Amino acid sequence: MLQKFGFSQYESQVYESLIGHASLDATSIVNYSSVPKAKIYEVLNRLADKGLVLNTMSGKKKLYSAVPLETVIKKLTAEFERDIALLKTHETKTPPTNDYVWNLKDDISILANIAQLIEGAAVSVRISAWNNQMEQYLPLLEKKEQEGVEVEALSIGSLSTTLRNVHILQPSEDHDQLEPSQLVVVDQACLIFAQMDATAWKAIKTMSPQLVNVFTDYFFHDVALAYITKQFHEELIHHDYLNRLLKRLRY
């Protein structure tokens, strides 16, 4: 767990060996932690500098003791909150428009990037997502609409919301090509497109005018598909060719 907070494997092993003892000398720590003897003093010094290890002299022997885990948790929490506060005060300069296509991974990171993109919208937001994903953004989308931003949403599956401009596409139960995805186009200038790949989400983010236009066309393509499917459902499901064609589309 300590490695998730930026501590090295050796540091984690040494702390874990110390936490179960009142105090240990360097030789005992090597035996308990399996950290190489040549590295032990370097690791102990780093832990002392980080405030996780105490040391004292007992005769001619130097002893080491771990700071209690509860204290370490409070220390890490305080440092995290301090760093977040500093990060909030950092001023960033908006980079010039470019055609780069950035790759995003990790569900939480993608969610945060989409929320940030929506939060920064000044004119318009066009968003397409499955209803369980869309629900995560609803409070923010409704807030932006109240601020005067034009919000247009396409939900795959039923959705309960106060948004004025919402399209609902009900996927066919026997559709075998369903691909969970999310598309957000903000101010007709920046987009994020995310799609489920096996068991994990992957996404791209870009300000490329060409790609923004293409994905905007995809959005309205899906809006049209939702309207046509709703209005002419009975005719479509009984028309073999059109039914097969619809199933080959993204939704």
Side-chain angles (χ1 to χ4, degrees):
M1 292 298 295
L2 285 177
Q3 291 180 58
K4 293 186 177 181
F5 291 90
F7 294 91
S8 70
Q9 181 177 343
Y10 283 168
E11 289 171 343
S12 303
Q13 289 172 213
V14 167
Y15 181 82
E16 186 177 9
S17 67
L18 284 169
I19 200 70
H21 299 84
S23 63
L24 293 172
D25 60 17
T27 301
S28 299
I29 296 171
V30 169
N31 294 332
Y32 282 113
S33 67
S34 299
V35 172
K37 186 176 181 180
K39 292 282 187 180
I40 195 64
Y41 288 107
E42 176 188 342
V43 174
L44 285 167
N45 287 335
R46 288 205 306 266
L47 286 173
D49 291 340
K50 294 177 180 180
L52 268 70
V53 166
L54 307 174
N55 62 71
T56 188
M57 294 299 298
S58 177
K60 295 183 179 181
K61 185 176 293 186
K62 197 169 189 178
L63 298 178
Y64 298 87
S65 177
V67 172
L69 184 58
E70 293 79 5
T71 303
V72 172
I73 292 173
K74 291 179 181 178
K75 166 186 163 60
L76 293 175
T77 301
E79 290 176 346
F80 178 78
E81 291 174 348
R82 180 200 62 198
D83 292 342
I84 289 295
L86 288 173
L87 191 59
K88 288 180 178 178
T89 64
H90 179 69
E91 294 184 4
T92 57
K93 295 182 179 180
T94 303
T97 303
N98 59 61
D99 295 340
Y100 294 135
V101 177
W102 303 96
N103 295 305
L104 301 173
K105 295 182 180 180
D106 179 73
D107 299 4
I108 296 176
S109 176
I110 293 171
L111 177 66
N113 271 271
I114 290 177
Q116 182 185 37
L117 193 62
I118 296 171
E119 180 65 47
V123 179
S124 64
V125 176
R126 294 187 176 96
I127 179 169
S128 169
W130 288 66
N131 53 3
N132 61 334
Q133 295 294 328
M134 186 79 76
E135 287 170 355
Q136 301 178 79
Y137 310 117
L138 279 181
L140 183 55
L141 291 168
E142 292 168 354
K143 171 176 170 286
K144 296 304 290 188
E145 186 173 73
Q146 291 173 3
E147 293 173 357
V149 174
E150 178 190 354
V151 177
E152 186 168 9
L154 171 64
S155 173
I156 315 304
S158 300
L159 189 70
S160 177
T161 177
T162 62
L163 291 174
R164 294 188 293 270
N165 200 359
V166 179
H167 312 279
I168 304 296
L169 174 59
Q170 296 291 358
S172 173
E173 292 182 359
D174 62 348
H175 201 311
D176 58 358
Q177 299 294 325
L178 296 178
E179 297 175 345
S181 62
Q182 303 175 67
L183 170 64
V184 182
V185 182
V186 167
D187 296 340
Q188 199 58 30
C190 185
L191 73 85
I192 292 178
F193 176 71
Q195 193 164 37
M196 179 71 77
D197 181 10
T199 59
W201 284 93
K202 293 184 179 180
I204 61 169
K205 180 177 182 180
T206 185
M207 296 175 69
S208 164
Q210 294 83 3
L211 288 177
V212 167
N213 289 336
V214 168
F215 275 95
T216 300
D217 286 346
Y218 281 160
F219 175 82
F220 287 116
H221 153 276
D222 292 334
V223 168
L225 176 61
Y227 180 82
I228 293 170
T229 303
K230 181 180 179 180
Q231 291 295 113
F232 305 101
H233 178 72
E234 291 301 320
E235 293 90 333
L236 291 173
I237 62 174
H238 292 104
H239 194 295
D240 290 341
Y241 174 72
L242 288 178
N243 200 18
R244 288 196 306 271
L245 185 60
L246 287 173
K247 291 180 181 180
R248 295 176 64 184
L249 298 176
R250 183 153 60 94
Y251 296 122

